[in-house]
């Protein structure tokens, strides 16, 4: 029985058992109750509809979108197994039920070395908030705002800012080297900071769709994956580029092009070189008209005015500067892609084919990946794959994967009271933050999702760490150092709803509510859908919302809570409803949700009633609004179409107004931090050896590892859910040749070792994994066996160190590791491990 079969069987068995219990209790109508649109709030790529059947305050069923008939024009926003397991998280036995304190901690004797090991004791909310307020006040009064590290993502930041602010963590997170806006500076952005592709209806106009470093079948398995299925039905041929033949490749019957993790740049250069050679032979491969009208920097004829050097990308590819042509043979030796596959890609990327080149975030989540985006755009530009139906070149964000363009429906603003401005500005790079705390210094480089700044060394002395709705100890690099850093400070507190890593290593834990226990909201979905969820149950046990916790803490600190939090959550939800709009076919915003005065009175909220396209009662029931779509409607979108038609009248946002294959702005941005010991980035793409990658493999660490996003969880969320643990084992994947060389059989417990740490996992041997490459799924909860320094939970970031490249990217996808058969006690399956249930 396969993983999916086991999951479905488990769900079926549970449903049948519940039905039997209901019938025994006299409830023969097992579907009675109210279907409530419920949050599926984790940061995955689907953003789907989730509904729960509530009877007498108890959730007894889940389902997904059935508000419309499922058609290619108006598809249902169907949830995946992760969303369908949400009730096992909300109502799981491992919910944190009341405030708790580690027994060994006291204000005078922190005993930080016991964090993660010590027993818990139950305390009251008053006691917990008094402790937190006293420790915060002591830190601010004694050491100042820079002594506090703010790892909060919700209302707690308002409280800390009111005290003067705090140090923060700045992370490239999902978007890697794309996070700081350099793509837009190269002319690769219209809608936002990330360069765009086409509407879903245009997918079927392509001959080929190349998905590079993307696996939407796992990361965006709702409507985004369905977009590609519709294109496949229309006869489009798919190509998947990555280290293993993934679920997307199998689903779409795609041709698989193998490439070693973080060597994607070499592959792109090899393809570009071979396109130049094919064009010399036939004259019908490279779109020189597009290159000279719409780009700068590919060759000597198209250099931008005022360029600091006369070097160009074409000459670099031909080896004119270093004597090394970047041909398919050169590329294959680095990236592992067969020479014939590189030459085949060069042929289909030519202008004679309608090709869409689409990449995911994986290639830019690697140390040394600064030039990937520019080289990818250069490849698309060489084939003229911008601004035309059936052609595209750009990145795919999970929830908009294969369906780009301006958003057609949006919620309103919350109207929440703005947080006070902090008095300090100390964003610490996530890739080094834990080591920085231990070293008591860090390199300031600006903020990742804004603009990199000139680097400077700053002192650092953290005494308090605050965790709120954060998974940062296990989702940024160097978890081993994270544990050391957390144990080194005076006080740590966490607001969490399960005993995750942050809660486990805190001194005080505050039980927060899940999104099923808040008034409601609107998760970010695809461009033509607005999803609305509402409260399912009251906060469980002694849990409080993050809003209520922050208000109470503000009061304990002597702050004006009413001024800081003047707009409550219910009014914020109503403000979003009142301000929701859709775009009509003349591209004018119109009110979406009709709200009456009776609705406002019933809610007890302020606002002005108005008409709309859908009644509040209807979306309250369905939880979703679909903008009606059809082939040829006014909402179709072709990225860069106006620019390509007339680049002079419609310039892009670069200094030249064109797509920049030579970009001084890119080089300046990436070089600004002055990363010590790192080779500077040039204005055009060049292949630089990564500080950690294929070229740095050794006898001690002979395998190249990466961390794919995994179907069992969303980042680290849901990893505690037993259903998901049973269905998805979270093994380490390796090739049969690598397994045989190490006497490893399928299912054996192995130890994965890197310079940063050691992890135990069961092995899964896959012929579809490249030789020399291993995959360690991202997001597992830390479960340290500290006697031996092993993580038995499979946390990938235990293995990821603090190596830096120019942009201080958090590089998850190029690790040097070894995998060996473990000679100790074999691991039990994760689903057989006890959950972290604390009853006091």
């Amino acid at each position: 029985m396969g993983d999916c079969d086991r999951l479905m069987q488990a769900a079926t068995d549970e449903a049948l058992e519940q039905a039997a219990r209901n019938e025994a209790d006299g409830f023969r109508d097992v579907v009675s109750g109210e279907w409530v649109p419920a949050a599926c709030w984790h940061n995955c790529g689907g953003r789907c509809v989730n509904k729960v059947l509530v009877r007498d305050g108890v959730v007894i069923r889940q389902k997904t979108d059935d508000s419309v008939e499922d058609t290619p024009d108006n598809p249902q926003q169907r949830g995946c197994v992760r969303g369908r397991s949400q009730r096992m998280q909300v109502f799981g036995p491992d919910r944190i039920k009341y405030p708790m304190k580690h027994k060994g901690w006291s204000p005078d004797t922190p005993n930080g070395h016991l964090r993660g090991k010590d027993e818990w004791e139950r305390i009251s909310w008053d006691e917990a908030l008094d402790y937190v307020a006293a420790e915060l006040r002591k830190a601010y009064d004694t050491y100042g705002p820079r002594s506090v590290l703010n790892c909060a993502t919700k209302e707690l930041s308002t409280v800390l800012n009111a005290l003067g602010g705090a140090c923060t963590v700045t992370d490239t997170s999902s978007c890697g080297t794309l996070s700081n806006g350099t793509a837009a500076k190269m002319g690769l952005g219209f809608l936002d900071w990330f360069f765009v592709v086409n509407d879903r209806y245009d997918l079927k106009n392509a001959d080929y769709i190349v998905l590079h470093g993307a696996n939407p079948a796992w990361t965006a398995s709702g409507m985004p994956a369905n977009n590609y299925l519709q294109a496949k039905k229309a006869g489009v041929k798919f190509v998947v580029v990555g280290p293993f033949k993934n679920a997307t490749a199998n689903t779409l019957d795609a041709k698989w092009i193998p490439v070693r993790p973080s060597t994607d740049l070499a592959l792109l250069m090899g393809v570009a070189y071979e396109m130049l050679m094919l064009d010399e032979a036939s004259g019908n491969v490279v779109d020189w008209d597009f290159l000279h009208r719409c780009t700068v920097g590919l060759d000597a004829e198209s250099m931008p005015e005022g360029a600091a050097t006369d070097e160009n990308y074409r000459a670099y590819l031909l080896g004119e500067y270093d004597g090394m042509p970047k041909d398919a043979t050169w590329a294959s030796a680095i990236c592992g892609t067969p020479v014939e596959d590189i030459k085949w890609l060069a042929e289909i990327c030519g202008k004679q084919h309608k090709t869409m080149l689409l990449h995911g975030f994986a290639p830019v989540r690697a140390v040394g990946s600064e030039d990937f985006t520019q080289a990818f755009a250069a490849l698309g530009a060489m084939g003229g794959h911008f601004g035309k139906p059936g052609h595209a070149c750009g990145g795919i964000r999970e929830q908009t994967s294969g369906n780009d363009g301006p958003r057609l429906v949006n919620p309103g603003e919350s109207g929440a009271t703005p947080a006070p401005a902090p008095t300090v500005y100390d964003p610490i790079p996530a890739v080094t933050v834990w080591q920085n705390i231990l070293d008591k210094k860090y390199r300031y480089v600006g903020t990742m999702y804004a603009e990199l700044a000139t680097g400077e060394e700053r002192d650092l002395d953290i005494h308090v760490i605050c965790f709120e709705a954060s998974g940062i100890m296990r989702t940024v690099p160097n978890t081993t150092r994270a544990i050391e850093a957390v144990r080194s400070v005076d006080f740590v507190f966490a607001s969490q709803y399960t005993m995750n890593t942050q809660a486990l290593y805190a001194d005080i834990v505050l039980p927060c509510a899940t999104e099923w226990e808040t008034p409601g909201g609107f998760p970010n979905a695809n461009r033509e859908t607005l999803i609305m969820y509402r409260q399912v149950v009251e906060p469980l046990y002694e849990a409080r919302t993050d809003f209520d916790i922050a208000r109470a803490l503000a009061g304990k600190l002597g702050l004006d809570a009413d001024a800081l939090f003047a707009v409550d959550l219910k009014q914020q939800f109503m403000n979003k409803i009142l301000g929701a709009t859709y775009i009509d076919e003349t591209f004018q915003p119109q009110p979406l949700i009709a709200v009456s005065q009776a609705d406002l009175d019933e809610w007890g909220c302020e606002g002005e009633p108005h008409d709309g396209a859908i009644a509040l009662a209807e979306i309250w029931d369905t939880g979703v609004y679909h903008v009606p779509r059809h082939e040829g409607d006014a909402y179709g979108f072709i990225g860069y179409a106006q620019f390509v038609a007339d680049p002079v009248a419609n310039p892009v946002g670069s200094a030249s107004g064109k797509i920049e294959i030579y970009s001084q702005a890119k080089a300046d941005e990436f070089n600004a931090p002055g990363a010590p010991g790192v080779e500077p980035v040039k204005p055009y793409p060049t292949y630089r050896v990564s500080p950690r990658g294929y070229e740095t493999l050794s006898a001690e660490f002979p395998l190249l590892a990466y961390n794919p996003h995994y179907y069992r969880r969303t980042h680290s969320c849901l990893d505690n859910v037993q259903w998901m643990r049973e269905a998805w084992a979270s093994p380490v994947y390796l090739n049969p040749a690598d397994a045989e060389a190490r006497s490893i059989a399928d299912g054996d417990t192995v130890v994965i070792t890197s310079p940063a740490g050691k992890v135990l996992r069961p092995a899964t041997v896959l012929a579809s994994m490249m030789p020399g490459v291993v995959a360690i799924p991202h997001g597992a909860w830390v479960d340290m066996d500290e006697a031996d320094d092993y993580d038995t939970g499979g946390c990938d970031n235990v293995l990821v160190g603090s190596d830096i490249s120019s942009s201080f990217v958090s590089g998850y996808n190029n690790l040097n590791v070894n995998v060996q058969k473990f000679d100790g006690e074999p691991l039990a399956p994760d689903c057989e491990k006890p959950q972290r249930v604390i009853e006091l």
Side-chain angles (χ1 to χ4, degrees):
M1 182 182 290
D3 288 341
C4 289
D5 294 329
R6 283 195 295 271
L7 178 67
M8 292 176 67
Q9 185 63 54
T12 301
D13 290 347
E14 192 275 339
L16 290 172
E17 290 171 8
Q18 181 67 54
R21 289 193 295 270
N22 288 343
E23 186 166 354
D25 290 340
F27 294 102
R28 296 185 180 277
D29 179 11
V30 297
V31 295
S32 65
E34 180 187 12
W35 284 104
V36 176
C40 197
W41 69 93
H42 302 305
N43 186 23
C44 80
R47 307 301 201 280
C48 308
V49 172
N50 196 6
K51 300 186 78 171
V52 298
L53 182 62
V54 182
R55 182 195 297 150
D56 298 328
V58 177
V59 173
I60 59 174
R61 294 284 188 281
Q62 278 190 242
K63 68 176 181 179
T64 189
D65 187 14
D66 57 3
S67 61
V68 295
E69 181 183 355
D70 189 45
T71 67
D73 282 335
N74 293 292
Q76 295 171 350
Q77 305 299 301
R78 293 183 182 177
C80 70
V81 292
R82 290 177 294 219
R84 293 166 190 254
S85 73
Q86 284 280 23
R87 64 185 168 123
M88 305 305 293
Q89 181 180 51
V90 175
F91 300 105
D94 58 344
R95 278 291 297 268
I96 297 175
K97 301 172 179 63
Y98 21 70
M100 297 185 296
K101 181 181 83 72
H102 266 139
K103 286 184 176 181
W105 178 87
S106 71
D108 297 326
T109 310
N111 286 321
H113 65 285
L114 295 177
R115 290 175 185 139
K117 301 178 180 180
D118 199 8
E119 294 181 349
W120 294 98
E121 61 183 11
R122 181 175 179 175
I123 58 177
S124 69
W125 267 104
D126 266 349
E127 289 176 289
L129 292 170
D130 283 341
Y131 277 128
V132 174
E135 292 302 302
L136 284 173
R137 183 58 72 188
K138 180 170 66 176
Y140 278 92
D141 291 347
T142 307
Y143 308 106
R146 298 183 73 246
S147 69
V148 176
L149 182 66
N150 176 8
C151 300
T153 61
K154 292 190 174 183
E155 287 86 354
L156 178 60
S157 292
T158 296
V159 176
L160 299 181
N161 279 9
L163 294 171
C167 293
T168 57
V169 179
T170 182
D171 189 15
T172 57
S173 58
S174 293
C175 304
T177 52
L178 274 166
S179 64
N180 53 44
T182 48
K185 292 182 178 180
M186 292 185 284
L188 299 171
F190 281 107
L191 302 182
D192 51 23
W193 46 267
F194 192 41
F195 63 125
V196 296
V197 289
N198 302 354
D199 176 72
R200 63 184 172 96
Y201 281 103
D202 192 53
L203 292 175
K204 62 185 179 182
N205 294 324
D207 299 326
Y208 295 93
I209 296 177
V210 179
L211 297 172
H212 190 134
N215 188 12
W218 272 8
T219 62
S221 55
M223 180 176 172
N226 184 52
N227 294 332
Y228 299 115
L229 284 171
Q230 298 304 317
K232 178 179 182 292
K233 290 177 181 178
V236 178
K237 299 180 181 66
F238 281 84
V239 181
V240 168
V241 181
F244 87 113
K245 189 177 183 183
N246 59 31
T248 299
N250 292 324
T251 300
L252 299 175
D253 194 24
K255 178 178 176 63
W256 174 43
I257 304 292
V259 61
R260 293 183 180 116
S262 77
T263 65
D264 307 87
L265 188 58
L267 172 61
L268 297 178
M269 290 176 172
V271 174
Y273 176 96
E274 297 300 336
M275 286 179 70
L276 291 172
M277 296 302 101
L278 287 171
D279 191 71
E280 285 187 11
S282 70
N284 192 37
V285 176
V286 177
D287 192 337
W288 293 105
D289 173 69
F290 176 83
L291 287 167
H292 291 148
R293 284 193 314 112
C294 299
T295 76
V296 295
L298 183 91
D299 60 5
E301 297 178 39
S302 60
M303 292 297 289
E305 292 184 12
T309 173
D310 60 0
E311 293 181 2
N312 62 77
Y313 189 43
R314 179 179 181 275
Y316 173 77
L317 292 172
L318 296 177
E320 294 181 10
Y321 306 134
D322 57 7
M324 179 61 70
K326 311 306 180 293
D327 61 12
T329 301
W330 169 86
S332 179
I334 298 170
C335 67
T337 309
V339 167
E340 58 270 25
D341 284 346
I342 297 173
K343 292 185 175 182
W344 180 81
L345 269 178
E347 198 277 328
I348 71 160
C349 287
K351 70 176 185 180
Q352 70 273 32
H353 296 291
K354 292 192 292 184
T355 299
M356 292 186 174
L357 299 171
L358 309 177
H359 77 76
F361 288 135
V364 294
R365 288 196 298 262
V367 179
S369 59
E370 285 82 5
D371 279 325
F372 174 86
T373 300
Q374 190 180 33
F376 195 87
L379 192 66
M382 289 173 68
H385 301 305
F386 285 85
K388 298 180 291 186
H391 301 255
C393 180
I396 49 174
R397 298 157 291 177
E398 290 94 338
Q399 67 267 26
T400 59
S401 185
N403 191 24
D404 222 329
R407 285 196 56 80
L408 305 179
V409 59
N410 290 286
E413 298 293 329
S414 70
T417 310
T423 62
V424 296
Y425 180 61
D426 280 278
I428 306 171
V431 65
T432 58
V433 60
W434 307 120
Q435 190 65 53
N436 294 151
I437 292 173
L438 295 168
D439 293 342
K440 294 187 177 295
K441 61 182 180 180
Y442 83 101
R443 189 168 185 84
Y444 166 79
V445 300
T447 303
M448 297 303 175
Y449 276 82
E451 188 170 59
L452 295 175
T454 301
E456 67 179 43
E457 295 294 323
R458 294 184 178 180
D459 68 300
L460 188 65
D461 188 18
I462 299 298
H463 288 261
V464 173
I465 299 178
C466 313
F467 295 121
E468 178 205 45
S470 168
I472 192 170
M473 282 185 70
R474 62 189 186 278
T475 57
V476 305
N478 220 335
T479 297
T480 304
R481 290 292 180 270
I483 293 170
E484 293 178 30
V486 165
R487 286 177 170 163
S488 73
V489 302
D490 298 337
F491 179 62
V492 182
F493 79 94
S495 174
Q496 306 286 346
Y497 55 83
T498 53
M499 189 53 65
N500 60 23
T501 308
Q502 291 68 230
L504 186 65
Y505 286 88
D507 301 310
I508 302 290
V509 176
L510 308 176
C512 70
T514 70
E515 287 298 306
W516 283 19
E517 298 153 68
T518 65
F522 296 87
N524 186 25
N526 68 73
R527 66 183 295 243
E528 60 202 52
T529 302
L530 188 70
I531 295 172
M532 187 179 90
Y533 62 87
R534 55 188 169 100
Q535 187 163 353
V536 176
V537 293
E538 291 297 318
L540 300 177
Y541 309 105
E542 293 185 23
R544 298 182 183 181
T545 66
D546 295 292
F547 181 90
D548 288 338
I549 293 171
R551 274 189 61 93
L553 180 59
K556 292 284 188 179
L557 286 160
L559 302 172
D560 187 346
D562 290 336
L564 291 173
F565 303 102
V567 183
D568 67 22
L569 292 181
K570 193 172 186 180
Q571 183 66 56
Q572 289 182 38
F573 186 21
M574 176 52 74
N575 290 344
K576 292 179 181 181
I577 292 170
L578 289 167
T581 58
Y582 73 97
I583 303 299
D584 67 18
E585 293 204 5
T586 67
F587 268 76
Q588 296 301 310
Q590 303 293 342
L592 175 66
I593 303 173
V595 179
S596 67
Q597 186 60 55
D599 292 327
L600 293 168
D601 293 342
E602 182 181 352
W603 279 55
C605 288
E606 298 178 356
E608 292 295 326
H610 59 237
D611 294 331
I614 184 173
L616 177 57
E618 183 178 347
I619 197 169
W620 186 258
D621 177 61
T622 62
V624 61
Y625 175 78
H626 305 261
V627 174
R629 295 295 311 275
H630 61 83
E631 187 85 34
D633 64 20
Y635 300 126
F637 179 79
I638 305 295
Y640 304 94
Q642 292 180 320
F643 163 71
V644 172
D646 190 343
V648 175
N650 303 290
V652 292
S654 64
S656 65
K658 298 183 178 183
I659 295 171
E660 295 192 347
I661 302 171
Y662 180 108
S663 174
Q664 191 62 49
K666 178 211 78 169
D668 291 346
E669 175 98 2
F670 282 140
N671 292 329
V678 174
E679 181 183 351
V681 174
K682 290 193 173 186
Y684 59 90
T686 60
Y687 188 81
R688 297 170 299 134
V689 174
S690 171
R692 189 181 69 210
Y694 174 68
E695 290 91 345
T696 58
L697 294 175
S698 65
E700 185 178 9
F701 302 111
L703 297 171
L704 189 59
Y706 74 109
N707 302 324
H709 285 207
Y710 191 51
Y711 206 30
R712 165 164 141 181
R713 50 191 171 251
T714 300
H715 296 292
S716 59
C717 298
L718 303 171
D719 196 49
N720 59 316
V721 173
Q722 296 295 73
W723 279 4
M724 300 304 291
R725 288 184 166 204
E726 183 177 356
W728 302 89
S730 197
V732 57
Y733 297 101
L734 69 165
N735 179 272
D738 297 318
E740 183 178 0
R742 292 160 175 80
S743 300
I744 294 171
D746 206 62
D748 283 348
T749 298
V750 299
V751 56
I752 309 112
T753 308
S754 81
K758 294 183 286 187
V759 168
L760 297 180
R761 281 287 84 199
T764 291
V765 181
L766 285 181
S768 54
M769 179 68 63
M770 285 186 74
V773 175
V774 298
I776 302 130
H778 164 65
W781 284 21
V782 180
D783 190 4
M784 297 298 293
D785 173 4
E786 299 202 20
D788 296 319
D789 287 330
Y790 293 120
D791 167 43
T792 65
C795 176
D796 49 317
N797 279 309
V798 167
L799 301 168
V800 180
S802 295
D803 308 271
I804 59 170
S805 57
S806 301
S807 64
F808 280 70
V809 62
S810 292
Y812 307 105
N813 283 329
N814 49 341
L815 312 178
N816 297 153
V817 304
N818 199 2
V819 179
Q820 297 168 302
K821 192 170 181 177
F822 185 56
D823 57 8
E825 186 73 21
L827 282 178
D830 288 348
C831 61
E832 294 180 10
K833 291 182 180 180
Q835 291 180 283
R836 293 174 182 166
V837 179
I838 298 177
E839 299 282 0
L840 299 172

